[in-house]
Amino acid sequence: MDDFKILTIQDISCVGQCSMTVALPILSACGLETAVLPSAVLSTHTAGFQDFTVKDLTEEMPKIIEHWKKEGIRFRALYTGYLGSAEMISYVLTIRNELLTDDGVFIFDPAMADDGKLYPAFDEAYVREMKKLCAVADVVLPNLTEACFLTDTPYKEDFNGRWVNGLIDSLRGLGAKQVVLTGVSFTDHSTGVASSTGGATYYYHHIKYAKGCHGTGDVYSSAFTGAFMRGMTLHDAARVAADFTARCIGYTQENYPDHWYGVKFEPVLPELIEKL
Ligand code: PXL
């Protein structure tokens, strides 16, 4: 059986331009066959909509895993995002351990926090479980807040390169083989990413838009996963994904200044395809 498939595990927010509805189109645009395991179905994402509905899908996971095992299905990469409950993390570990090919890659976006705070659905128990995924990740893709939660580091907005390098060392201390840290901003008008593999850490900076946008973490991680699985180095994939995400924010703010719940990444996809 052809095994050059990616499996992505994250929620379906039916409306909201995040998680699965961002990952699938981006990975497809990158030319990669993508299988899905929805972790939960929500009527919308949880950041700004009121009274959203949530259906957790943890209990489906063992049945799906068993079926895939029987069929001999394996994946060349596992890419996880927003999961939703601490209980499902043991199943994610089973998938990582038993359904990846021998050279398979686990790309872990610990989507659980931003701006110094956990998302509403999560607590310390969830963070504890996420540390177990970080320990076996080939690449971990946190923003600064998530990196702080994973490493028990107090969050701060004013920092220097030494502090960021310490955070990267702590993530690698947890077990993550390679790190791409997002939202690393040393000046008011720029932001960027720090990518670290082997002994080398590179910083890449680009324009910072005044207003932050929801869903950009998922756009970034999906574009990174697409570029990395198309064979780019960690540093190149980190840079291509950063440029794409910045362009999506710029495009949205120029053309749809009132669009608040996500970014209009769709019209920018041709630019990502050109870079691959
Ligand atoms: O990764 C962002 C995200 C994904 N899914 C859901 C969310 C959020 C952020 O708030 O609420 C359901």
Side-chain angles (χ1 to χ4, degrees):
M1 182 177 281
D2 159 30
D3 62 12
F4 214 93
K5 273 193 286 300
I6 296 183
L7 171 65
T8 187
I9 310 179
Q10 42 195 312
D11 73 279
I12 297 177
S13 286
C14 300
V15 171
Q17 275 173 321
C18 68
S19 41
M20 202 68 98
T21 62
V22 163
L24 259 186
I26 291 179
L27 292 170
S28 297
C30 292
L32 297 161
E33 178 183 346
T34 306
V36 301
L37 182 51
S39 56
V41 179
L42 295 88
S43 52
T44 64
H45 66 58
T46 65
F49 293 100
Q50 302 301 315
D51 303 326
F52 48 83
T53 69
V54 186
K55 173 73 181 167
D56 180 88
L57 296 175
T58 304
E59 68 177 32
E60 284 303 301
M61 289 193 168
K63 295 182 266 180
I64 292 172
I65 292 169
E66 273 322 296
H67 182 216
W68 285 348
K69 278 192 193 167
K70 259 198 217 143
E71 292 287 337
I73 291 169
R74 293 279 182 281
F75 302 99
R76 173 75 177 74
L78 169 64
Y79 156 41
T80 65
Y82 187 107
L83 297 173
S85 78
E87 292 70 43
M88 75 178 60
I89 289 170
S90 63
Y91 295 123
V92 177
L93 279 168
T94 302
I95 291 172
R96 143 75 175 67
N97 294 336
E98 299 181 27
L99 293 181
L100 275 183
T101 56
D102 290 343
D103 59 351
V105 178
F106 175 32
I107 299 171
F108 170 52
D109 175 356
M112 62 178 171
D114 209 356
D115 295 327
K117 294 189 297 280
L118 287 174
Y119 293 149
F122 303 133
D123 57 14
E124 270 176 36
Y126 190 78
V127 175
R128 260 199 313 278
E129 291 301 294
M130 293 297 263
K131 288 180 185 176
K132 295 181 187 165
L133 293 180
C134 190
V136 294
D138 293 292
V139 183
V140 62
L141 298 168
N143 61 34
L144 282 180
T145 303
E146 290 156 349
C148 286
F149 275 108
L150 286 171
T151 59
D152 300 311
T153 307
Y155 176 75
K156 54 181 178 181
E157 280 173 6
D158 261 340
F159 50 78
N160 56 22
R162 229 174 102 189
W163 185 80
V164 175
N165 288 339
L167 213 45
I168 291 172
D169 288 345
S170 302
L171 287 162
R172 296 183 78 166
L174 276 179
K177 290 197 189 69
Q178 305 177 92
V179 178
V180 178
L181 200 54
T182 62
V184 180
S185 171
F186 294 112
T187 71
D188 288 346
H189 303 293
S190 73
T191 186
V193 294
S195 53
S196 181
T197 181
T201 298
Y202 287 92
Y203 284 84
Y204 179 67
H205 299 287
H206 57 81
I207 180 174
K208 178 178 183 176
Y209 290 92
K211 198 168 77 141
C213 287
H214 189 266
T216 50
D218 298 339
V219 169
Y220 183 85
S221 297
S222 302
F224 170 85
T225 300
F228 191 61
M229 294 314 295
R230 283 289 301 268
M232 283 191 178
T233 64
L234 187 90
H235 305 306
D236 285 346
R239 179 179 44 78
V240 163
D243 286 339
F244 176 65
T245 307
R247 274 285 299 134
C248 293
I249 298 170
Y251 177 87
T252 306
Q253 297 192 351
E254 275 157 36
N255 297 285
Y256 300 91
D258 298 329
H259 186 72
W260 66 271
Y261 60 77
V263 282
K264 298 261 185 195
F265 67 94
E266 300 88 346
V268 192
L269 281 172
E271 294 181 25
L272 174 62
I273 294 168
E274 231 169 70
K275 299 269 173 60
L276 300 176

